[in-house]
Amino acid sequence: MVKVSLIQSQPILGEAEQNIQNLIPLLAQTEDSALIVLPELANSGYNFTSRNQAMKLSESIEDSRFIEFLHQHARASGCHIVAGMNERERDLLYNTAVLVGPDGIIGRYRKLHLFMNEKDIFEPGNRGLPVFDVGQMTVGIQICFDYLFPETWRILGLKGADLICHPSNLVTPYGQKVVPMHSVVNGVYVITANRTGADGDLKFSGGSIITGTRGEVLARASENKPEVITIEIDPQKSRNKMITEKNHALNDRRPDQYLDILES
Ligand code: ACM
């Protein structure tokens, strides 16, 4: 069994240092969790008024106070952390989630499917859908609106993710409804770490969830307040893809009959 936590926080647009300070008491509640998932854009806030503003609030991976803060916690507690951040690379911005462990940055995922005004600010992700070995389990990452695209879940499932970490800033209440279905279809755990509060005219829907390999909602946060949830999960369950004694969730696929998907 592995202890995992979600942090449902409430980042404030443009208040990078305050956002870090607000995470300290929340991280303290994760006890001895092996893996902690934070929301999308946890360093900067979400609803930028311009690309210029987003640029000012971005950080490069190599020189990020936010990552250094996460690394300090990971080193002190021996855990791994997945957190969304506004990433700058030269003069380009990415909506990124980093994976940080006791020894520093392990990897990153850049959001593939940009939502609404994100298209005016960020570049679409260009690093595919990697999975990472974090010791007791393999994790994949996708970010918020990626949930609408079954392909991202499937690819991470096929690559052997036991757990899909899903940092989010969901504004609709139906994203959380879709997540259990993808857990069942791919036989994986999912942690959707959403945020609460509002940024300008956008209100975020909270309700972060952890789902099990049969689509059970193992834990659900409130809709409107910062919160920490910690549970134990069993990665062995995500490695058993048998649905019945004669059906395997992944091996029963018929890719030879799915070629239409390549044409459209
Ligand atoms: C979203 O992708 N932040 C809705």
Side-chain angles (χ1 to χ4, degrees):
M1 300 294 281
V2 185
K3 236 183 213 185
V4 295
S5 295
L6 71 79
I7 291 185
Q8 173 167 288
S9 64
Q10 193 165 314
I12 306 164
L13 186 67
E15 299 295 337
E17 189 54 36
Q18 190 61 53
N19 291 336
I20 287 175
Q21 296 306 319
N22 291 348
L23 284 174
I24 293 173
L26 296 173
L27 282 167
Q29 291 172 53
T30 60
E31 303 157 25
D32 51 352
S33 258
L35 179 90
I36 303 166
V37 185
L38 273 62
E40 179 182 11
L41 294 173
N43 65 336
S44 59
Y46 180 82
N47 196 8
F48 308 107
T49 52
S50 66
R51 186 171 184 278
N52 206 18
Q53 184 193 35
M55 183 64 78
K56 285 194 184 122
L57 299 176
S58 64
E59 294 178 282
S60 76
I61 292 276
E62 297 74 25
D63 180 25
S64 161
R65 157 101 177 101
F66 183 61
I67 292 181
E68 180 46 32
F69 163 75
L70 298 178
H71 182 203
Q72 269 170 23
H73 183 84
R75 195 169 41 211
S77 62
C79 72
H80 289 81
I81 305 175
V82 173
M85 68 173 286
N86 172 7
E87 182 202 354
R88 181 179 65 251
E89 185 180 61
R90 294 185 300 278
D91 59 344
L92 300 178
L93 298 178
Y94 296 92
N95 187 336
T96 294
V98 285
L99 169 63
V100 179
D103 297 328
I105 298 173
I106 294 171
R108 79 185 100 165
Y109 163 73
R110 288 172 168 168
K111 187 176 186 176
L112 293 179
H113 304 99
L114 299 175
F115 181 71
M116 284 284 294
N117 297 345
E118 290 174 39
K119 292 190 175 198
D120 305 326
I121 291 168
F122 298 109
E123 305 304 307
N126 55 1
R127 288 175 158 244
L129 289 150
V131 295
F132 304 96
D133 179 354
V134 295
Q136 295 140 298
M137 56 190 174
T138 300
V139 299
I141 305 173
Q142 62 178 28
I143 299 177
C144 203
F145 188 55
D146 286 327
Y147 78 81
L148 205 73
F149 302 86
E151 293 85 351
T152 57
W153 301 97
R154 183 59 106 200
I155 289 167
L156 292 173
L158 286 169
K159 284 185 165 180
D162 298 309
L163 165 66
I164 296 179
C165 304
H166 183 211
S168 293
N169 279 187
L170 288 160
V171 289
T172 63
Y174 49 77
Q176 296 88 332
K177 292 188 185 150
V178 170
V179 170
M181 187 201 81
H182 290 293
S183 265
V184 184
V185 169
N186 295 291
V188 294
Y189 288 93
V190 179
I191 299 182
T192 295
N194 197 21
R195 63 160 291 173
T196 56
D199 242 7
D201 56 350
L202 285 185
K203 187 170 179 318
F204 302 95
S205 57
S208 299
I209 51 173
I210 304 179
T211 56
T213 58
R214 292 291 182 260
E216 328 85 284
V217 176
L218 301 172
R220 188 193 302 275
S222 68
E223 283 172 18
N224 51 18
K225 62 176 195 307
E227 212 168 309
V228 178
I229 295 180
T230 300
I231 66 164
E232 288 195 326
I233 64 170
D234 179 3
Q236 290 307 329
K237 285 195 177 164
S238 50
R239 291 170 202 166
N240 174 10
K241 304 290 189 198
M242 297 309 291
I243 303 293
T244 70
E245 61 190 28
K246 294 188 180 178
N247 293 100
H248 187 282
L250 301 180
N251 297 348
D252 276 14
R253 289 172 309 115
R254 296 292 311 282
D256 60 309
Q257 298 295 313
Y258 302 158
L259 297 178
D260 291 349
I261 203 168
L262 301 176
E263 314 285 319
S264 47

